[in-house]
Amino acid sequence: MGIGEQHIVKSFDIELGKLDEALARMGGLAESQMASAIQALESRDSDLAAQVIEGDAKVDACDAFINEQAVKVLALRAPVADDLRTVVTALKVAGEIERMADLAANAAKRSRVLNQLPPVEPMRSLIRLGRLALVMVKDVLDAYLSHDAERALTVRERDQEIDNVYSSLFREILTYMMEDPRTITPCSHLMFIAKNIERIGDHATNITEMTYFRVTGKTVAEQRIKTDTSSSAGAEDLT
Amino acid sequence: MSDTPVADIKMSARGLSVHYGDKLALKGVDLDMAAGEVTALIGPSGCGKSTFLRCLNRMNDTIPTARVSGRVILDGEDVYGPGGIDPVLLRARVGMVFQRPNPFPKSIYDNVAFGPRLHGLYAEGEELDTVVRSSLEKAGLWNEVKDRLIEKGTSLSGGQQQRLCIARAIAVSPEIILMDEPCSALDPIATAKVEELIDELSQSFTIVIVTHSMQQAARVSQRTAFFHLGDIVEVGATEQIFTNPANPLTQGYITGRFG
Ligand SMILES: Nc1ncnc2c1ncn2[C@@H]1O[C@H](COP(=O)(O)OP(=O)(O)O)[C@@H](O)[C@H]1O
Ligand SMILES: [Mg+2]
């Protein structure tokens, strides 16, 4: 007797497999939602933005499916060990992807407002931030689906870069608003979108940690270092 | 083998081996069983779980071909040592409950009174009545049988018979209770009642249970030992074994990827 990759009960493999398939589909959808949202911002394309807003329902449907499927596997198969981790992390990862897609849809909504207003310079940096986040999301989903704990840890490091770019973008936007108060309306939308993107990076980071847990059964012990200082930027003006 | 130290060791096995004739069925097993804890033994059929359990109260002595070597230590005393504990007395301290409920073809009362009478522990009459009652109460059976104590034990349902056997085992105030697949002949409700009973009994007794149900091991035990081919492959906190086993064999077995 020995151990194999497959369960003796083949339908168990099929049921577990459905979770990964659904996550792959959901992740792919969320990625393209994000990519389109960034594209809509860059090319001031309100139609594309509208598609993103509409497309969020599909991501939500995936989330609902994964929830049902996970509950079903828990109830009917009573999974343990790595099987249990597969089910529990699928539930949580689906939740993270759902939030990321929400944030992308919200960015698309704001882009339609921005299109009514004159363009502002910091948009270029915002697009750069968006692309960084998109690459991170792609990579973490790949790491999750290929059960690659090492790669997840490497991807996790990248959130720092997103936080750094976000902090400097925050200052950049602030500077523009102070120099030209007419840009305050578009710039505050930009600021919210930047925050959305920074949050997407945090959700991606959560997925790296879930990947690590799913594969190794251990939590990422080391504490993340937060150097996002935007929350204190401008504080000197308030005093 | 990833073992966490056991706090208060009640019984332990050291290098425990069993031959049946030429066949080596248990290959030098080490295991500590903690006082007031439930230890679950899991593993494929024929891996030596029952053999191991029978060593703990010298039941293997009754099998002519069986040869036991190594040590079983109960409260610091070697069960098999020269001038060791008398097997009959040992079995009063280390009781056993079997897979199939096996009440004697006697009254419910006599079933429970059997052990105390054998060991001459209590006087007939009120004293023995009290012990029978409290044992049946502890086994969660008193309310169901208090008006029919003179009926045959075999007239009870399967689940009740198993709880009667547990009452019989605890009537002699053992320190350890061994259970060999005690629920495999019971329906889910009777199983739940026995599991609840195991939970309660673990406050006062050290329990070692062999089970083929992974979920049962997960539900009732604090420590789990995984046996394979006459050896313990892994032992640890039940929670750890079922969430993140260290050994791939354990993982393969409990997740059903073992064949
Ligand atoms: N009385 C016996 N005589 C000979 N061989 C036995 C006897 N009891 C058990 N065995 C053998 O010892 C091995 C372990 O059996 P057992 O302890 O019953 O395993 P388990 O309880 O894990 O199913 C098996 O190969 C079995 O055939
Ligand atoms: Mg057995």
Side-chain angles (χ1 to χ4, degrees):
Chain A
M1 274 206 260
I3 31 164
E5 281 292 300
Q6 251 91 74
H7 290 86
I8 300 162
V9 179
K10 292 192 188 67
S11 57
F12 191 3
D13 282 323
I14 295 170
E15 295 295 328
L16 282 175
K18 284 182 190 167
L19 286 171
D20 268 1
E21 283 162 28
L23 279 171
R25 197 166 59 241
M26 184 181 189
L29 273 173
E31 277 173 34
S32 84
Q33 286 285 93
M34 280 180 63
S36 299
I38 295 166
Q39 184 61 46
L41 281 164
E42 191 174 27
S43 52
R44 296 173 67 85
D45 184 341
S46 288
D47 290 341
L48 185 57
Q51 281 174 34
V52 173
I53 295 162
E54 225 173 83
D56 193 44
K58 280 194 226 152
V59 181
D60 289 350
C62 284
D63 185 38
F65 173 81
I66 290 166
N67 277 296
E68 280 167 29
Q69 181 64 18
V71 167
K72 183 172 142 191
V73 174
L74 287 171
L76 302 184
R77 309 278 174 175
V80 293
D82 60 340
D83 295 337
L84 178 61
R85 299 200 301 272
T86 295
V87 179
V88 171
T89 53
L91 265 177
K92 298 186 76 173
V93 168
E96 300 291 340
I97 299 175
E98 192 270 333
R99 293 296 305 137
M100 294 197 293
D102 269 357
L103 292 164
N106 183 272
K109 270 182 205 148
R110 290 183 188 279
S111 78
R112 295 175 77 188
V113 180
L114 281 172
N115 291 348
Q116 320 283 315
L117 303 163
V120 281
E121 183 58 26
M123 179 60 91
R124 289 151 59 106
S125 306
L126 182 74
I127 298 299
R128 190 161 81 84
L129 180 67
R131 297 236 157 90
L132 265 180
L134 182 58
V135 172
M136 182 176 176
V137 169
K138 271 197 167 82
D139 286 351
V140 71
L141 291 172
D142 284 350
Y144 183 82
L145 292 169
S146 58
H147 306 190
D148 192 337
E150 285 311 309
R151 178 147 175 226
L153 286 185
T154 315
V155 176
R156 186 168 172 272
E157 302 294 313
R158 262 191 262 151
D159 187 45
Q160 196 58 66
E161 194 185 345
I162 291 180
D163 286 348
N164 292 342
V165 173
Y166 169 70
S167 295
S168 77
L169 173 59
F170 189 92
R171 286 189 179 79
E172 186 186 339
I173 296 172
L174 215 56
T175 311
Y176 271 90
M177 290 198 289
M178 287 191 293
E179 277 172 5
D180 183 358
R182 285 170 307 172
T183 67
I184 285 179
T185 304
C187 276
S188 23
H189 283 292
L190 236 58
M191 215 165 234
F192 279 114
I193 295 171
K195 184 69 199 168
N196 283 351
I197 296 172
E198 187 269 339
R199 292 290 301 141
I200 286 174
D202 290 345
H203 289 297
T205 303
N206 291 344
I207 300 177
T208 65
E209 290 166 11
M210 289 163 195
T211 303
Y212 190 81
F213 175 70
R214 176 192 181 175
V215 177
T216 66
K218 298 184 186 78
T219 56
V220 180
E222 78 181 299
Q223 207 48 49
R224 0 184 357 215
I225 323 137
K226 260 280 180 194
T227 58
D228 162 24
T229 52
S230 69
S231 52
S232 55
E236 57 271 31
D237 304 333
L238 298 172
T239 51
Chain B
M1 206 163 101
S2 77
D3 200 358
T4 41
V6 171
D8 181 6
I9 298 173
K10 180 70 187 171
M11 189 174 229
S12 48
R14 286 292 174 272
L16 195 60
S17 294
V18 176
H19 279 87
Y20 293 109
D22 291 339
K23 187 183 155 43
L24 183 58
L26 209 59
K27 304 173 180 169
V29 165
D30 295 336
L31 184 65
D32 292 332
M33 288 145 280
E37 252 188 20
V38 180
T39 302
L41 313 182
I42 61 170
S45 286
C47 65
K49 305 176 299 292
S50 298
T51 298
F52 176 80
L53 209 63
R54 285 196 300 265
C55 289
L56 301 181
N57 68 349
R58 298 192 62 158
M59 290 278 285
N60 283 328
D61 293 12
T62 62
I63 300 172
T65 54
R67 264 187 306 120
V68 179
S69 62
R71 292 188 301 152
V72 173
I73 300 138
L74 171 60
D75 282 338
E77 203 179 343
D78 190 349
V79 163
Y80 286 93
I85 310 168
D86 170 56
V88 177
L89 288 182
L90 175 68
R91 283 170 213 148
R93 292 176 67 186
V94 186
M96 188 138 181
V97 175
F98 298 89
Q99 176 173 4
R100 303 215 132 264
N102 57 348
F104 305 129
K106 294 167 179 258
S107 72
I108 292 170
Y109 184 99
D110 287 344
N111 262 281
V112 182
F114 179 85
R117 280 174 175 151
L118 179 71
H119 297 285
L121 294 174
Y122 306 96
E124 288 292 328
E126 220 172 290
E127 216 180 296
L128 195 55
D129 291 353
T130 311
V131 173
V132 168
R133 178 180 175 150
S134 81
S135 304
L136 285 166
E137 277 172 350
K138 282 182 206 148
L141 196 58
W142 175 250
N143 285 331
E144 292 160 61
V145 302
K146 62 179 179 219
D147 300 323
R148 45 194 286 208
L149 292 174
I150 51 167
E151 284 177 36
K152 284 237 155 53
T154 45
S155 70
L156 296 170
S157 74
Q160 289 173 325
Q161 288 186 21
Q162 194 59 305
R163 281 180 286 143
L164 178 63
C165 293
I166 293 172
R168 186 177 66 193
I170 60 189
V172 293
S173 308
E175 296 152 50
I176 299 173
I177 303 175
L178 310 176
M179 299 184 171
D180 198 346
E181 300 180 45
C183 299
S184 57
L186 307 185
D187 69 41
I189 299 293
T191 296
K193 286 182 181 164
V194 171
E195 288 181 4
E196 165 59 16
L197 184 56
I198 292 171
D199 246 6
E200 278 169 24
L201 295 177
S202 69
Q203 317 273 330
S204 351
F205 305 97
T206 299
I207 296 175
V208 186
I209 179 173
V210 171
T211 175
H212 275 295
S213 158
M214 295 304 101
Q215 293 310 311
Q216 180 165 72
R219 285 189 299 258
V220 304
S221 73
Q222 287 77 52
R223 274 166 63 79
T224 297
F226 171 55
F227 280 69
H228 181 46
L229 301 174
D231 224 336
I232 291 184
V233 167
E234 182 169 1
V235 53
T238 297
E239 196 183 309
Q240 177 250 314
I241 297 284
F242 284 95
T243 53
N244 193 19
N247 194 295
L249 277 174
T250 317
Q251 173 146 301
Y253 182 70
I254 64 173
T255 58
R257 274 174 285 183
F258 199 92

Coordinates of all heavy atoms in Angstrom, one line a residue, chain B residues 20 23 25 43-52 54 63 65 180-181 210 212, ligand 1:
Chain B
Y20 N 2.7 -13.4 16.2 CA 1.8 -14.5 16.2 C 2.5 -15.6 15.5 O 2.6 -15.6 14.3 CB 0.5 -14.1 15.5 CG -0.4 -13.1 16.2 CD1 -0.4 -11.8 15.6 CD2 -1.1 -13.3 17.4 CE1 -1.2 -10.8 16.2 CE2 -1.8 -12.3 18.0 CZ -1.9 -11.1 17.4 OH -2.6 -10.1 18.0
K23 N 4.9 -14.7 12.7 CA 4.5 -13.4 12.1 C 4.6 -12.2 13.1 O 4.1 -12.3 14.2 CB 3.0 -13.5 11.6 CG 2.6 -12.2 10.8 CD 1.2 -12.3 10.4 CE 0.5 -11.0 10.2 NZ 1.1 -10.0 9.5
A25 N 3.5 -8.9 14.2 CA 2.3 -8.1 14.0 C 2.5 -6.7 14.5 O 1.9 -5.8 14.1 CB 1.1 -8.8 14.6
G43 N -5.8 3.5 11.5 CA -4.9 2.9 10.6 C -5.7 1.8 9.8 O -6.7 1.3 10.3
P44 N -5.1 1.4 8.7 CA -5.8 0.3 7.9 C -6.0 -1.0 8.7 O -5.2 -1.3 9.6 CB -5.0 0.2 6.7 CG -3.7 0.9 6.9 CD -3.9 1.8 8.1
S45 N -7.0 -1.8 8.2 CA -7.2 -3.1 8.9 C -5.9 -3.9 8.8 O -5.2 -3.9 7.8 CB -8.3 -3.9 8.1 OG -9.5 -3.3 8.4
G46 N -5.7 -4.6 9.9 CA -4.5 -5.5 10.0 C -3.2 -4.8 10.3 O -2.1 -5.5 10.3
C47 N -3.3 -3.6 10.7 CA -2.0 -2.8 10.9 C -1.6 -3.0 12.4 O -0.5 -2.5 12.8 CB -2.2 -1.3 10.6 SG -3.4 -0.5 11.7
G48 N -2.4 -3.7 13.2 CA -2.0 -4.0 14.6 C -2.6 -3.2 15.7 O -2.2 -3.3 16.8
K49 N -3.7 -2.5 15.4 CA -4.3 -1.7 16.4 C -4.9 -2.5 17.5 O -4.7 -2.3 18.7 CB -5.5 -0.8 15.8 CG -5.0 0.1 14.7 CD -6.2 0.8 14.0 CE -7.3 -0.1 13.5 NZ -6.9 -0.8 12.3
S50 N -5.7 -3.6 17.2 CA -6.3 -4.4 18.2 C -5.2 -5.2 19.0 O -5.3 -5.4 20.2 CB -7.2 -5.4 17.6 OG -8.3 -4.8 16.9
T51 N -4.2 -5.6 18.2 CA -3.0 -6.3 18.9 C -2.4 -5.4 19.9 O -2.1 -5.8 21.1 CB -2.0 -6.7 17.8 OG1 -2.6 -7.6 16.9 CG2 -0.8 -7.3 18.4
F52 N -2.2 -4.2 19.6 CA -1.6 -3.2 20.5 C -2.5 -3.0 21.7 O -2.1 -3.1 22.9 CB -1.4 -1.8 19.8 CG -0.9 -0.8 20.7 CD1 0.5 -0.7 21.1 CD2 -1.8 0.2 21.3 CE1 0.9 0.3 21.9 CE2 -1.3 1.1 22.2 CZ 0.1 1.2 22.5
R54 N -4.7 -5.0 22.9 CA -4.8 -6.2 23.8 C -3.5 -6.4 24.6 O -3.6 -7.1 25.6 CB -5.0 -7.5 22.9 CG -6.4 -7.6 22.4 CD -6.7 -9.0 21.9 NE -5.8 -9.4 20.8 CZ -6.1 -9.3 19.5 NH1 -7.3 -8.8 19.1 NH2 -5.2 -9.7 18.6
I63 N -4.1 -15.7 23.9 CA -3.9 -16.2 22.5 C -2.7 -17.0 22.6 O -1.6 -16.5 22.8 CB -3.8 -15.1 21.5 CG1 -5.1 -14.2 21.5 CG2 -3.5 -15.6 20.1 CD1 -5.0 -13.0 20.7
T65 N -0.7 -18.5 20.4 CA 0.5 -18.2 19.5 C 1.1 -16.9 19.8 O 2.2 -16.6 19.2 CB 0.0 -18.3 18.0 OG1 -1.1 -17.3 17.9 CG2 -0.5 -19.7 17.6
D180 N -12.4 -1.1 21.5 CA -12.0 -1.6 20.1 C -13.2 -1.4 19.2 O -14.1 -2.2 19.2 CB -11.5 -3.0 20.2 CG -10.7 -3.4 18.9 OD1 -10.7 -2.6 18.0 OD2 -10.0 -4.4 19.0
E181 N -13.1 -0.4 18.4 CA -14.2 -0.1 17.5 C -15.6 -0.2 18.2 O -16.4 -1.0 17.7 CB -14.2 -1.0 16.3 CG -12.9 -0.9 15.5 CD -12.8 -1.8 14.3 OE1 -13.9 -1.9 13.6 OE2 -11.8 -2.5 14.1
V210 N -9.9 2.4 19.5 CA -9.6 2.1 18.1 C -10.8 2.4 17.3 O -11.9 2.0 17.7 CB -9.3 0.5 18.0 CG1 -9.2 0.2 16.5 CG2 -8.0 0.2 18.7
H212 N -12.4 3.0 13.1 CA -12.2 3.1 11.7 C -12.8 4.4 11.1 O -12.7 4.7 9.9 CB -12.8 1.9 11.0 CG -11.9 0.7 11.0 ND1 -10.7 0.8 10.2 CD2 -11.9 -0.5 11.6 CE1 -10.1 -0.4 10.4 NE2 -10.8 -1.1 11.2
Ligands
LIG1 N1 -5.0 -14.3 16.9 C1 -4.2 -14.1 15.9 N2 -3.5 -15.1 15.4 C2 -2.7 -14.8 14.3 N3 -2.6 -13.6 13.7 C3 -3.3 -12.6 14.2 C4 -4.1 -12.8 15.3 N4 -4.7 -11.6 15.6 C5 -4.2 -10.7 14.7 N5 -3.4 -11.3 13.8 C6 -2.6 -10.7 12.7 O1 -1.9 -9.6 13.2 C7 -2.0 -8.5 12.4 C8 -2.6 -7.3 13.1 O2 -4.0 -7.6 13.4 P1 -4.9 -6.7 14.3 O3 -4.1 -6.3 15.5 O4 -6.2 -7.4 14.5 O5 -5.0 -5.4 13.3 P2 -6.1 -4.3 13.3 O6 -6.8 -4.3 14.7 O7 -5.3 -3.0 13.1 O8 -7.0 -4.5 12.2 C9 -2.8 -8.9 11.2 O9 -2.0 -9.3 10.1 C10 -3.6 -10.1 11.7 O10 -3.9 -11.0 10.7

